Amino acid sequence: MSRSGAVVALVVALAVTASARAVAAAAAGDAAGRFTCGAAGVEKALRYNVSGRLAADYLPAGAEPGESLATAVCCDIEYMQFAEPAGFFQRPDVALFAQLNADATTTFYDSACGIPLFVAPRNRTFAAWRAESAANGWPSFRQAEVVEGNVIALNGLVASKCGTHLGSLFRDQDGNRYCTDLSCVSGNPRR
């Protein structure tokens, strides 16, 4: 496929997904159809030091006044095409991998509804997972790390079954790579 053909395909995928998300937003109780995470929205106390960050400090203009980075990136249709900044998870005030136990797996939860999404590392070492994430700029998960039934991929976009936008899906020589926004996978377990 030519470069222009790939761009057209991506624009069509975004438009189709935006329409689906608008329907999901309306179903979630957002009459304007802008937000997809339901009336409760994103949790107030997210893990990994991502709470309390304003979208306006990280994304182009247009965020709702006081809108959090997590709400904008994970739930706001207007920002669906954006991601949190590359390397956000490595910022000294976030330092994701420094907060994790390198000798155990970690479960990542949806920032809006609290369902489990990814368990990592699986079928690789902690060091390999950290290195792949650093090389790609966002926390990256492989197929074996996906909690089946809770993560949906469509046209290269990844969402939870709750409607939370999680990131993008890429295929490479090792298979599927789920490139996620930390803000969207920093929830707490649903109670």
Side-chain angles (χ1 to χ4, degrees):
M1 176 182 297
S2 71
R3 186 176 187 88
S4 62
V7 170
V8 169
L10 178 59
V11 169
V12 168
L14 287 172
V16 167
T17 305
S19 296
R21 290 188 67 178
V23 170
D30 178 16
R34 181 169 174 173
F35 297 96
T36 62
C37 293
V42 171
E43 296 174 14
K44 302 295 183 240
L46 296 174
R47 298 170 6 173
Y48 314 119
N49 299 325
V50 299
S51 291
R53 296 174 188 273
L54 295 178
D57 295 338
Y58 297 92
L59 301 174
E64 295 288 314
E67 185 173 17
S68 73
L69 176 63
T71 296
V73 171
C74 310
C75 304
D76 189 338
I77 290 171
E78 298 294 318
Y79 281 94
M80 184 177 67
Q81 71 273 24
F82 294 101
E84 63 196 18
F88 175 79
F89 74 98
Q90 296 173 300
R91 292 171 50 104
D93 57 336
V94 176
L96 171 64
F97 285 96
Q99 297 184 58
L100 304 179
N101 181 345
D103 297 321
T105 58
T106 299
T107 301
F108 291 83
Y109 297 90
D110 187 299
S111 292
C113 70
I115 62 171
L117 302 169
F118 302 98
V119 180
R122 283 188 178 157
N123 297 340
R124 58 180 169 168
T125 65
F126 183 88
W129 173 41
R130 180 179 56 214
E132 180 176 65
S133 296
N136 291 295
W138 287 271
S140 296
F141 300 96
R142 291 296 176 168
Q143 195 65 49
E145 297 164 331
V146 173
V147 175
E148 294 297 330
N150 289 351
V151 177
I152 301 161
L154 175 65
N155 298 323
L157 300 175
V158 180
S160 76
K161 72 177 185 180
C162 300
T164 307
H165 178 257
L166 305 175
S168 301
L169 174 66
F170 299 98
R171 289 183 176 84
D172 60 22
Q173 69 278 2
D174 296 322
N176 289 340
R177 179 172 50 83
Y178 295 78
C179 194
T180 64
D181 291 297
L182 180 60
S183 298
C184 305
V185 299
S186 294
N188 294 287
R190 184 182 350 184
R191 300 204 190 284

